[in-house]
Amino acid sequence: MTKAFVKSGASLSSQYRATFQKTVLACAALLVALAIVIVVTTLVGSESLPRASSICALVSFGRTSCGLTQDQFDILFQIRLPRILLGAAVGGSLATAGASYQALLRNPLAEPYLLGISNGAAVGTMTALVFFGSNEWSRPLLAFAGALVATFAVYRLARGRTGATPERLVLAGVIVTTFLSSVIVFVTTMMDVTRIRSFTFWLLGDLSSTSETLLPIAILIAIAGAILLAANARSLNLLMLGERDAFDLGVEVGRVRIVVFLIASLLVGSSVAASGSVGYVGLVVPHLVRLSLGSDNRLTIPAAAIGGALFVIIADSVARTIIAPRELPVGAITALIGAPLFIYLLKRN
Amino acid sequence: MARALKRTYRTYVFRELNMTSLQAKNLVINYGDRVAVDGVSLTLQPGTVTAIIGPNGAGKSTLLRALNGYVRPATGSVQLDGQPIDQLNRRTIGRRIAVVAQEADLRFPITVLEFVLGGRYAWATNAAWGWETENDVKVAEAVIVETELAALSGRLMNELSGGERQRAVLARALATEAQFLLLDEPTANLDMSHQLSLLAVVRSRCNKRACAALVVTHDINLASEFADQVLLMRDGRMIRVGKPKDVLESAVLEDVFGVEVLVDAHPITGAPRVTPVHRVN
């Protein structure tokens, strides 16, 4: 890839930095991969569908049935596709939020789930369920509020006189997480017994219960959030090297911090409201992206958004097929991959 | 003599044409109950290097930090080209005033070139979609050559030695093309040769582009060699300001630092040379 750039006349220095062309190329490649993965994973499941007709129906966006029976058509478009699209929205949201928290807090270990921000959103969602159960809109709204409160709590707790060290941030995350967990237990006791089981499943991150209202909201917020965060990426590049340095170089630190906290909380809120707390996505995906594409947030953030979608879709396909016909919550699979990576990163720090 | 004349001329020209100035007037800065800076006034002249010396806790770094608006004064004001600095936006200030602090926080892998390009942030326009223009890259590559980092531009920052990293921090500040350079103990972790080469880059910048540099340092002899003007502080107050030979007198230094010192002329450069005297009882 580098060779092609040198040939096309770009200066040699372009190989040492992210450029607009590199970003477009990487995102285009990831989007192609995403399209392929979406098509392939719709074919995977406890009910096997005829391959050629399913692909034909998918490519026509459901306008023709291509010889699928009504049942098969419904499985494809009413069950699998919404679930996969929700996985994409949730993965994209969490990975983008993770990448931005990491840059803003100058900490490769920052992650919505580990910092307790997902738990904040979960408390918000549960409150909405208990008090405004019939109104689905209230869930992402209160989840956003919960995520925002948790974000500021962690930020305040982690800030020592010398700034936030990685260890201090992780500890602050543990405190906020455990505190909110007990709030969650408290709220759970206020629910009726029949709902508790589906609730524990949801808490671990579960994509099986999508609703027609929440899915478009989640997709819309994921896309808008990723674009808005990418628009602040150059400021985040400098914030990643220290708030004082960023201030000296011309970044309006306070404004960028509030904008990023708001958008990241919105992303976490909407994804938790739709699917519970899927853990470690915000850690695994940005880390892999940085490893392969470098640390420039103008490239990392959009690539993490698409990569997060890929990661959760694949993890969820594993979750719903590995012990078929029974299912695992997707959060169990992501944690299985994420926790060892977290330990590795903590040791390397 | 010729050098002094040239400098006076240049100062005059730039003052008249660009109205370039960075001025502090009667600054008072408090940290809680403690008065960190107590009524200091100071003007940075284009083409000159000013050194601030003084004991620990004298308020040197605080004063430097107030000059780009990072620390807010309780009373008094800082003015850039005659405008109060708290009325300007950060980008405007970032294009005019650059700060060199000690090592940056490096928890993410980033190359030297990417790091130095950070200095072009304040010049970004929306037209470039948040990406550096060709001119930005040209400026960054030029300062990388100027700071002798050309061979390392593709290396990761955390693979560099302390001296190389500090040069990269300087390069990033120079990439802003700011006319005012504020350096906060830039040579603290460097060996002798790196101290000299770093200050030589600053000195030649100031001469060539009529920049003004303010250097906070504990190295009095380095200040004596490189500075046109030395500012001696204690307890937030300006004790003395002037040419090195006027400020660096043994009686004054002994009073401020509380140690016996020998001040003589450097046999080669002729600049005042300060040596602490250690007597065994």
Side-chain angles (χ1 to χ4, degrees), chain A residues 34 37 43 47 56 75 79 97 109 115 158-159 195 197 241 274 285 299 319 340:
Chain A
L34 181 63
V37 165
L43 303 178
E47 184 78 25
C56 164
I75 289 176
I79 298 173
L109 297 177
L115 294 183
R159 249 175 108 84
R195 283 168 76 184
R197 192 181 171 276
L241 303 170
V285 176
L299 175 50

Side-chain angles (χ1 to χ4, degrees), chain A residues 11-14 16-20 23 102-103 105-108 164-166 234-235 237-238 240-253 255-256 290 294-296 298-299 348-349, chain B residues 65 68-70 89-91 93-94 97-99 101-111 113-115 117-122 124 129-132 136-137 141 153-155 172-173 176 184:
Chain A
S11 77
L12 250 171
S13 64
S14 71
Y16 298 136
R17 64 191 178 96
T19 56
F20 181 65
T23 306
Q102 283 152 25
L105 300 169
R106 292 186 298 292
N107 192 330
T165 63
R234 196 165 173 189
S235 308
N237 281 348
L238 294 184
M240 209 160 76
L241 303 170
E243 280 186 10
R244 201 165 73 176
D245 284 16
F247 178 91
D248 292 341
L249 290 165
V251 180
E252 304 276 357
V253 175
R255 189 186 58 80
V256 175
R290 271 193 216 102
S295 308
D296 192 320
R298 289 169 292 187
L299 175 50
R348 208 189 50 177
N349 253 306
Chain B
R65 284 291 166 188
N68 87 327
Y70 186 76
N89 69 38
R90 292 310 317 167
R91 266 180 211 262
I93 298 168
I97 306 174
V99 179
Q102 280 166 53
E103 283 183 24
D105 199 354
L106 294 163
R107 293 192 195 129
F108 295 91
I110 152 170
T111 66
L113 180 65
E114 285 177 309
F115 184 83
L117 277 168
R120 300 302 297 167
Y121 178 88
W129 287 67
W131 292 92
E132 288 88 4
D136 289 335
V137 178
E141 284 177 339
S153 71
R155 291 270 289 280
R172 186 175 68 174
T176 62
D184 191 0

Side-chain angles (χ1 to χ4, degrees), chain A residues 62-73:
Chain A
R63 278 189 294 259
T64 53
S65 66
C66 298
L68 291 175
T69 65
Q70 189 60 41
D71 280 354
Q72 289 173 328
F73 191 82

